[in-house]
Amino acid sequence: MRNETEFPYTRRVPRNGRARNSAADAALLAVFTRDGRENPYPAFAALRRLAPVHHHEGLGTWFLTRHADCHAVLTGPGFHTPGREWCDREIPDWREHPGARFFYSSLLRTDGADHSRVRRLVTGALGARSVRALLPDVRDLTRRLLDRFADATADGGTADFQELVGYPLPVAVVGRLIGAPPEDQGPFHRLGQDAGRLLEPVRSAEDWRRADEAVVALRAYFADLVRRRRARPADDLTSALLAVRDADDGRLSGDELVDTLLLVLVAGFETTAGLLGLAVHALLAHPDQWRLLCERPDAAAGAVEETLRWDTPVQMTERIAERPAEIGGVTIPEGANVTTVLAAGNRDPARHPDPDTYTVLRPDSKVLSFSAGPHHCLGAALARAESAELLTQLAARFPRLAPAGEPVRRESVSLRAFAHLPLAATG
C-alpha cells in the first residue's frame, strides 16, 4: 500500500493548467492539524469560500464543500465508489491486506447489480418496520445503561458518558439485531474501532495492521456465529441471511454473508456512538437548547438532526468520476477521485442559513450525514431512533446534566467522536 503521507486510495489526477491555489491548500491541510481535528469547520468554510471545488495535487483528490455539489455527486450516475476493479488498477497489492479485501468488497465499495442485490437482502432488517420492532429493546437497553450512569454520578460524582452509555448502547443494539449474544459483545468496541480505521483519508502502517487484525478476528467470529445459527436459527439478521444463503439461489455467497454481518456491526455502532456523544456535548454547550429539550421531549428528533448537521459524525466520503464531469463550473477529469466533504456541505449557508448556529428546531434541514443516493446509509433510521430515545430519556432523568471536565476527541479526521466525555448529573 502507499505510504502514510499519501491519500492511500486515490489516483494521481493531472493538472488542468490552472495555477495552484495555495490559500485553499492551506485551508484544506489545516483540517489535518490537531486544531483542525478539534474544530474543522472554520477550515471547511475557508475552503468553500476560496475554492469550493478544489483539487489538491499531493492528496490526489478533488474536495467539494458545497451542499449542492456534494449531493449531485453522491446521487449522480456519473460517479461510483472505488471498488475492486479500481483497486486492481490503482493499488495492485491491496489484496495482501484482509482489511482492504473486506473494505473494497463490501457494500461500502460495490456498485451496480452486486450492490443492489446484497443491499436488498439487508434493507428489510434495517427498514422502518424493523426499527419500530426494535424500539422496545432500545428503550430497555437505554434505561439500563442510564441506571448505571445514575449510579456512577450519584452524590455529585462524575462519569465518562462514552464509556458507560455512548459506546455500549449502539453495540448492544446492533448485537441484538445481528443475534450476537451479550456475552460475545465485549470485544466488539475495540475491534470495530480498529476496523473503522479504514475510513480514514490517510492511513498509516499501524492503521493497516490494526484494521487487518480486527477484520480477521471479526470474520472468524461471524463465521462461527453462522455455524451456530445454522444449528439453531433465531429471530435475527444472521439467521435471516443464512436462510437466503442456504436456499442456494445465487443471491448471497458465504463470504458475502460474513462480510455483510461484519459491515452491519461496524457501521451500526461506530457512527451512532459518535452521534450520541456529539449530541450530548452540543446540547450542553448550548444551555438554552438543552433547556428546550428538557421542556419539550418532542424536540429530541430535531436535536438529533441538528447534531448531524452541526457536527457531522462521518466527515467525508469519496467517489470516482466515470467520465469527464462539470461540478460547480469546474471540469473534473475521467477517473478523478472526488471527496465529498459532508460536514462542509451540512454547514453550507446556501442550504442552511446561519449554519454555525446550533438550534434543535431548525426548519427544512436536509443533511448529508448518512450520504445520499445508492449508498445512503442503511442504518440511518436505526441511528436516528437510538439517538432520539437516548436524548429523550437523558433529558427526563438528568435535567441538570453538566460537563465535568475536558472532553477528549478521537484521533481521527474522517470520524467525529469523543473518546471520553466526562459528565456530572445531580437530578
Side-chain angles (χ1 to χ4, degrees):
M1 308 298 288
R2 293 172 178 169
N3 68 54
E4 63 189 82
T5 63
E6 295 180 341
F7 213 67
Y9 40 69
T10 61
R11 66 183 297 168
R12 297 302 176 186
V13 183
R15 292 188 183 184
N16 63 358
R18 297 181 306 147
R20 290 184 62 188
N21 188 333
S22 58
D25 280 356
L28 172 63
L29 294 178
V31 174
F32 294 83
T33 66
R34 181 172 296 277
D35 288 344
R37 287 194 298 270
E38 180 66 26
N39 181 13
Y41 298 103
F44 288 150
L47 184 59
R48 188 191 311 109
R49 183 178 65 256
L50 292 165
V53 181
H54 177 61
H55 177 240
H56 188 281
E57 187 170 359
L59 296 177
T61 188
W62 295 80
F63 287 89
L64 311 184
T65 48
R66 289 186 297 215
H67 189 284
D69 294 338
C70 291
H71 188 267
V73 166
L74 294 171
T75 59
F79 294 87
H80 62 82
T81 59
R84 288 168 290 190
E85 293 182 1
W86 182 86
C87 287
D88 287 339
R89 294 193 307 270
E90 302 297 330
I91 317 174
D93 58 348
W94 70 278
R95 295 177 189 271
E96 296 175 10
H97 290 269
R101 292 200 303 274
F102 156 69
F103 187 67
Y104 291 111
S105 300
S106 72
L107 275 173
L108 285 175
R109 290 294 184 265
T110 56
D111 288 294
D114 282 344
H115 179 267
S116 299
R117 171 176 54 83
V118 178
R119 186 181 176 95
R120 279 196 300 269
L121 299 176
V122 183
T123 297
L126 294 169
R129 180 179 299 180
S130 297
V131 169
R132 285 195 296 271
L134 269 174
L135 277 179
D137 287 336
V138 172
R139 292 191 185 102
D140 182 59
L141 290 166
T142 302
R143 178 184 56 78
R144 293 184 186 188
L145 291 171
L146 289 182
D147 286 345
R148 284 203 310 167
F149 182 77
D151 291 341
T153 56
D155 301 321
T158 65
D160 186 341
F161 172 83
Q162 284 299 107
E163 178 184 354
L164 293 183
V165 183
Y167 281 107
L169 177 58
V171 168
V173 171
V174 78
R176 186 77 57 91
L177 173 71
I178 290 171
E183 60 269 21
D184 292 356
Q185 295 173 16
F188 285 173
H189 178 193
R190 177 183 61 81
L191 292 174
Q193 283 200 339
D194 285 350
R197 289 171 175 259
L198 295 171
L199 295 172
E200 290 301 306
V202 177
R203 304 168 193 156
S204 67
E206 175 67 6
D207 289 333
W208 277 112
R209 183 190 67 78
R210 292 175 63 173
D212 285 345
E213 291 178 358
V215 166
V216 168
L218 288 170
R219 274 179 163 162
Y221 173 78
F222 284 117
D224 179 65
L225 181 62
V226 167
R227 287 191 290 271
R228 283 186 275 163
R229 284 294 176 265
R230 179 172 281 117
R232 183 173 295 179
D235 183 18
D236 56 39
L237 178 62
T238 301
S239 299
L241 293 180
L242 182 60
V244 172
R245 165 63 183 160
D246 287 349
D248 196 27
D249 58 3
R251 286 190 292 163
L252 193 69
S253 72
D255 287 344
E256 286 174 331
L257 169 56
V258 169
D259 280 355
T260 297
L261 293 171
L262 198 166
L263 178 63
V264 170
L265 170 71
V266 175
F269 88 82
E270 272 285 68
T271 303
T272 306
L275 174 58
L276 296 178
L278 294 170
V280 172
H281 180 262
L283 285 161
L284 296 182
H286 299 84
D288 59 325
Q289 299 301 296
W290 174 247
R291 287 193 298 271
L292 188 153
L293 177 63
C294 292
E295 296 166 1
R296 289 189 50 179
D298 62 312
V304 172
E305 212 65 16
E306 180 67 344
T307 301
L308 287 167
R309 186 201 67 80
W310 191 74
D311 205 3
T312 308
V314 178
Q315 296 272 287
M316 58 191 74
T317 189
E318 61 169 346
R319 295 293 185 267
I320 305 298
E322 293 184 355
R323 62 187 70 90
E326 184 173 299
I327 303 174
V330 177
T331 299
I332 305 297
E334 178 181 355
N337 183 287
V338 177
T339 298
T340 58
V341 186
L342 311 177
N346 283 338
R347 288 214 194 184
D348 182 355
R351 181 59 187 82
H352 296 114
D354 197 13
D356 296 327
T357 297
Y358 182 85
T359 173
V360 302
L361 298 181
R362 178 180 294 274
D364 190 32
S365 184
K366 185 177 181 180
V367 299
L368 298 167
S369 310
F370 293 109
S371 189
H375 285 270
H376 181 265
C377 178
L378 279 167
L382 182 57
R384 285 180 164 113
E386 283 182 64
S387 303
E389 181 63 32
L390 181 278
L391 293 182
T392 299
Q393 291 195 34
L394 192 69
R397 294 184 61 172
F398 306 101
R400 287 182 283 174
L401 192 69
E406 196 67 28
V408 178
R409 291 192 185 269
R410 281 178 56 180
E411 291 286 333
S412 175
V413 172
S414 182
L415 299 175
R416 291 281 284 176
F418 287 101
H420 303 287
L421 185 60
L423 302 177
T426 56

